Amino acid sequence: MSATDRKVNVLLDILISLRSFLKGMWVTATNLVAREKVTLQYPYEKPQVSPRYRGLFYLPFNEKEQRLNCTGCTLCEQACPTKVISMTKLGAGKHGGVSEFNMDLGRCMFCNLCIEACPFDAIYMGSAYELASYDRDASVFRIEDLAQGGKRSVEINIKTISEALAEEEKAKAAKAKAAAEAKSAADAKAASAAEERQAAEKPAASEPAPSASPESPA
Amino acid sequence: MTLTTTEITSPGMTLNMGPQHPSTHGVLRLVVELDGEIIQSCRPVIGYLHRGLEKMMEARPYRHNVPFTDRLDYLASLNSNLAIAQAIERIGNVTVPERGQYLRVLLCEINRLASHLVFLGTFATDLGATTVFLYSFRERERILDLLEAMTGARLTYNWIRAGGVPTDLPEGFGERLTAFLDEFQFALDEYDRLLTGNRIFRARCEGIGVISREMAVAYGASGPVARGSGIAYDIRKVAPYDVYDRMEFDVPVYTEGDCMARYRVRVEEMRQSARIIRQCLREMPEGETMAKLPKIFKPPPGEAYSRTESPRGELSCYLSSDGSMNPTRVHFRAPSFFHLGLLPAMLPGVKVADVIAILGSLDTVLGEVDR
Amino acid sequence: MSMQRLHPRSASQAREILIGVVIAALILAALSATPLLPWHLLDPIRAYFYERPLLNNLAKAVLLVSFMAVQCLFLIWMERKFAGWLQARLGPMHVGWKGVLQTFADAIKLLLKEDIIPALADKPMFRLAPYLVFVPAMLTLMVLPFSPNLVGFDYHLGALFALSISTTGALGILAAGWGANNKYSVLGGMRAVAQLLSYEIPMILIVLCVVTLKNTMSLTQIVERQAGLWNIVAHPLLMIPGALIFFSCALAEVYRAPFDLPEAESELVSGFHTEYSGMRFAIFYIAEFANNVFTAGFAAILFFGGWHGPVLPPIAWFTLKTLLLIFLMMWVRWTLPRLRIDQMMSFCWKLLVPASLILFCLTALSVVW
Ligand code: SF4
Ligand code: SF4
């Protein structure tokens, strides 16, 4: 390359550089003047989260049955990779529920697995997202914090469930009693039958029958 | 008069770049020996972000492992989800429904856009053009909004599972996505005008941090780093998974091997990703999105290895099973790890300022390196 | 076109711009009315000060420094706002109307901050350095003629004085870098000195061009001799390249992108003031902006006719030109990436120095003819 060529090249380079700078500056200028400013003034303006947003959990309150949907089946507990959920069951079976439901959100990944695991639509993720706290204990959310309707609905839930359980218990007890009565009636019948037999067999043998009623102190 | 030349040397200086240095992209520590401003040697120190994720996964059932992969490559967590999901499917012989496969490709490509936008922004900031950072994050924010509409989360999505995708697209997602892509073309043009042609940007990138073809092969580089060095190697083409074999897209390859080539590969990839997304939206069939996995998932004993193309390169996952609920071994082949290995070979002889450019152009994510 | 398609500005934000324009127009109108004010009422005070030169100078100095400090605080806000808008952000919004008082709040916060000196620092040097930077930055402003009669010190070698004083700031920066005993600081300090000294040369040569053209070294005289035509219009062939070179040098002198290497935060954390906090940091910051004002004002004097202009009073014109140049600097800063140290050096020595030498020769020839 000859010296003049080089000089021309240098000049060209300068011009090309200037042009590239001006191009870039045009872009920034259009942004300065003609574009929307996208900042959200956060604590004053809150972002609109999508309906599927995975924020703070909630346990929906079932108005019809006056209780939380959760039956205490622990499926969510098992589905959680980081053991966030722990609960105290209240009864079991058809009318079972929970009296305590703790989530240590300090460990939670908001991964949605627990929600997918729940077969009773009893746990969901809401749209609350300001969960930071100054204190580690505050990251443990208890059933009052999670239940829809707060403490009141937890109380109603416990009441409904314990009533249902009590009812169930009563029904069970009644059933048991009925069964026992039926049984004792049957026994009585058997006993009378035996007596009759005994009476019939009295002349043959005077010892009591070996198949006595269970109440008898055999 | 005699003229003697003496070499001027100065005692070396050891400089610790990181782990709290503003541009080590996470917690990487580079111990560099300096002579003036010239690097004599470099030793990357990793492990500041080690959480024992692979070991944690071994102690948990397969299904529980997917959310942990979000924490590997946190800029493209859907792509990491995909790696383990595929491995689990392979080991348990699960077939993903077709719509699920399309959705996966769609989500992965959207995530690739988001990840490359972060690269663009941070790379430009490393070189001093802070404005591009904010522009690219402005665009990324809209992608995150879309992903939030789909998955409910903004960073750790956990929405590609073994068996498919748990939910279908939300109402109006396709239109929003297409509208975004239409504008995104212009945004890409703008980045081009701000950076690609810029004389200073070129001076900082061209011929800097050259990785030769041989070196890229020898060090196991993959993804945009390999493609910047003239290796046309893209898992989506060489070993297509999901429905990538039906997609029409080009694999951009540049032969220079310098920072500029890697930058261009990524910018071009964004255009290609947009193409793939449009195809997905157009061709997606109706149907199920997720295959049913048994409640207690116990794959037969054996091993599985999945290969996926994450925004950073070849992200693979190895699983082995002994027939129980938990995997006996989980291992990830993280592309960033291999790219960091290139640093000691590349850095000697360059200036301090170039370290940042080179590191930025490798686009490493430390969550993936340290696991 | 893309401009309309991407994120068009919303109506409320357009209204804000309108409000800004209206306010600026009002300020300018108020300024243009200043000659009508009853200035003669101040005559007794002026007379009092004229009789006591020492007191007069002291008062001037105090006024100048406090004016500059406030102006710098204001400028910092403007820069942040400008950068924010340019980057699709809002910039400071919290303290005062649209965040006008943000930097004042910051300054108060910095004043109240704990004064930290690293254990291994060279303490006297570390303490001294901010003032070594701050004092020259203020001293240079002394010779700038804001208007025909508003000049701190109408020195007949003003141009030389300004250039030589502004260079001594490098000493303070080196002291800061060295004294902090931090490797990043040392690198930053050394870069700063190397950069400052190299870019001083083309800058001086360009100033010499103007001096040769105008045949005086007094800044006031230089401005006065541009009364009819600004330099850049009167001698476009010489002065447009000259202004470009001067502008590049000015960017380097005030460490602005693309020449912000001494404080390149992605490489050197924040260069020579990495270890500084509290008020010392604030002093560096103010000095940086004072330098900015000085270089912009200097350029306005050399090429754009200083205080000359129609309608508005001279001081308004000068301030306006200075501000516009500062905005230009900000605009460049927030658009361009950063050069590497060796590229920057070769740009200076291989391009700017020869170019300015050639320019100087041409100027000399043109004057001789
Ligand atoms: S979201 Fe995930 S981590 Fe959190 S409680 Fe549910 S399963 Fe556990
Ligand atoms: S929330 Fe659902 S899965 Fe969890 S214990 Fe209650 S009912 Fe079972």
Side-chain angles (χ1 to χ4, degrees), chain B residues 79-80 83 306-308 310 313-317 332-335 368:
Chain B
N79 295 69
S80 324
S306 73
R307 298 161 78 198
T308 62
S310 94
E314 179 179 351
L315 177 69
S316 311
C317 175
F332 284 90
R333 182 225 186 261
E368 186 180 67

Side-chain angles (χ1 to χ4, degrees), chain B residues 14-17 21-23 37 126-127 130-131 134-135 138-139 186 198 200 203-204 208 353-354 356, chain C residues 2 5-7 86-89 183-184 191 258 265-267 269 334 336-343:
Chain B
T14 312
L15 191 67
N16 246 318
M17 294 185 116
H21 191 273
S23 33
E37 287 227 16
D126 287 347
L127 298 182
T130 26
T131 303
L134 284 133
Y135 291 170
R138 173 181 67 190
E139 258 55 74
F186 293 112
N198 190 303
I200 298 178
R204 287 300 304 277
I208 305 298
D354 288 336
I356 305 302
Chain C
S2 66
R5 298 280 297 272
L6 270 170
H7 314 288
L86 188 142
Q87 298 178 332
R89 296 185 282 122
K183 286 165 186 170
Y184 291 114
R191 279 181 179 190
E265 81 271 12
S266 60
E267 297 152 27
V269 190
W334 292 108
L336 297 185
R338 180 184 302 129
L339 277 170
R340 211 173 53 205
I341 182 80
D342 58 323
Q343 289 166 345

